[in-house]
């Protein structure tokens, strides 16, 4: 049963606009996306059933290195671009430092980042994360070309579902949050509503259509439904492993039975002679199993 909470939906932009390599066209599309996001936020926030609206975009998993005392070993880190009010809408605590502000979201602002506790444990010294600098260690610095990111805040971990060498489960993945400024083919919108999330979906789609008819809103679902899907996958994985183990044991038992049956059949004359000479049946059975 859906409960009042967070509704998530994917926003797909016109791929011909986002994929343009022309710098002027890219800048114009970036401005257009910002204006559309602000219009969505403004119109949805006027709805009495809406508590908050925010946006994010998953940018991938990249190697990062800390620059506290020279370059360190790269740490594979999830990178998420977020709006300034992202943590407020999610009710996520800022443990140290601050959240992003409008200055950080401006293209002329200095490159900044917020990290979670898992990233601090994995990559940063115990002296404190706020004020430290990190940078992507791959060949192309696609987040802040030529510059490192200054950490301005630390947030609590949020568990994500993943499959590792030890099997699937919920883990705290090291994550870096950067301001949502550049264009992206797909951006996720999160709406905190007071009513049933699924009943709010048609209203959300209607607002998006009024703002920009080319904007596609899809995969709208309650945020907890994503966790339910992951839990279902984990359950199916466990059932699958259990079935494979049972099948292997069954086949192994059948193989052992066939082998022993063949060996006993080959020794029928020997077993008969031993019993005729006074061997106890249990001794014969024990010798068979001992082989």
């Amino acid at each position: 049963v859906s409960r009042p909470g967070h509704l998530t939906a994917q926003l797909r932009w016109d791929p011909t606009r986002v994929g343009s390599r022309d710098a002027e066209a890219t800048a114009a599309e970036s401005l257009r996306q910002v204006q559309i996001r602000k219009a969505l936020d403004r119109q949805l926030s006027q709805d009495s059933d809406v508590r908050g609206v925010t946006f994010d975009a998953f940018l991938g998993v990249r190697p990062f290195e800390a620059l506290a005392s020279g370059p360190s070993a790269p740490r594979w880190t999830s990178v998420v671009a977020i709006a300034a009010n992202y943590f407020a809408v999610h009710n996520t605590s800022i443990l140290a430092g601050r959240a992003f502000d409008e200055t950080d979201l401006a293209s002329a602002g200095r490159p900044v980042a917020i990290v979670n506790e898992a990233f601090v444990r994995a990559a940063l010294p115990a002296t404190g994360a706020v004020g430290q600098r990190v940078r992507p260690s791959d060949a192309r610095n696609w987040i802040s070309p030529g510059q490192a990111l200054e950490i301005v805040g630390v947030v609590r971990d949020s568990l994500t579902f993943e499959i590792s060498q030890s099997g699937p489960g919920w883990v705290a993945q090291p994550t870096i949050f950067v301001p949502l400024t550049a264009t992206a083919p797909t951006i996720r919108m999160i709406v905190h509503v007071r009513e049933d999330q699924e009943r709010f979906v048609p209203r959300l789609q209607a607002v998006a259509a009024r703002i920009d008819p080319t904007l596609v809103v899809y995969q709208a679902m309650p945020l907890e439904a994503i966790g339910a899907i992951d839990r279902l996958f984990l359950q199916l994985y466990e059932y699958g492993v259990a079935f494979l183990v049972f099948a292997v044991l069954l086949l192994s038992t059948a193989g052992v039975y066939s082998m022993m049956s063949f060996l006993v059949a080959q020794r029928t004359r020997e077993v008969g002679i031993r019993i005729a000479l006074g061997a106890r049946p249990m001794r014969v059975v024990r010798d068979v199993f001992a082989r």
Side-chain angles (χ1 to χ4, degrees), residues 8-29:
T8 177
Q10 300 290 337
L11 305 180
R12 186 170 62 217
W13 312 97
D14 184 352
T16 60
R17 292 173 176 265
V18 178
S20 175
R21 296 185 179 182
D22 181 73
E24 184 177 348
T26 300
E29 176 61 18

Side-chain angles (χ1 to χ4, degrees), residues 194-274:
R194 293 183 173 87
E195 64 171 24
D196 189 311
Q197 299 100 310
E198 295 182 355
R199 292 173 54 189
F200 190 79
V201 172
R203 293 158 63 181
L204 171 62
Q205 293 173 333
V207 171
R210 287 198 303 268
I211 294 175
D212 185 354
T214 66
L215 179 61
V216 179
V217 179
Y218 67 104
Q219 291 185 355
M221 67 180 70
L223 192 60
E224 60 264 24
I226 299 177
I229 293 173
D230 291 336
R231 286 191 293 271
L232 176 61
F233 181 82
L234 176 59
Q235 192 174 33
L236 292 176
Y237 180 90
E238 293 173 345
Y239 287 158
V241 171
F243 174 78
L244 290 177
V245 171
F246 175 77
V248 168
L249 290 176
L250 183 63
L251 292 175
S252 300
T253 303
V256 171
Y257 170 80
S258 300
M259 180 183 65
M260 292 185 63
S261 177
F262 174 78
L263 293 178
V264 171
Q266 294 292 318
R267 299 174 59 191
T268 301
R269 179 183 294 273
E270 175 190 342
V271 171
I273 295 174
R274 292 180 62 184

Side-chain angles (χ1 to χ4, degrees), residues 45-108:
S45 297
Q46 294 174 357
D47 193 313
S48 59
D49 291 326
V50 175
R51 296 181 177 180
V53 180
T54 191
F55 302 88
D56 69 5
F58 180 68
L59 303 182
V61 179
R62 299 288 177 137
F64 271 78
E65 58 185 0
L67 305 180
S69 56
S72 60
R75 304 283 182 174
W76 286 94
T77 307
S78 297
V79 184
V80 183
I82 60 173
N85 65 340
Y86 181 82
F87 298 115
V89 173
H90 278 280
N91 296 321
T92 301
S93 302
I94 303 291
L95 301 179
R98 61 174 179 85
F100 293 140
D101 54 29
E102 294 301 325
T103 303
D104 299 323
L105 271 68
S107 58

Side-chain angles (χ1 to χ4, degrees), residues 60-67 72-80 113 115 119 123 133-138 141-144 148-149 175-178:
V61 179
R62 299 288 177 137
F64 271 78
E65 58 185 0
L67 305 180
S72 60
R75 304 283 182 174
W76 286 94
T77 307
S78 297
V79 184
V80 183
V115 299
F119 183 85
R133 294 185 304 137
V134 295
R135 70 182 178 191
S137 57
D138 51 356
N141 187 344
W142 46 272
I143 296 178
S144 56
L149 300 172
T175 305
I176 287 180
F177 300 93
V178 297

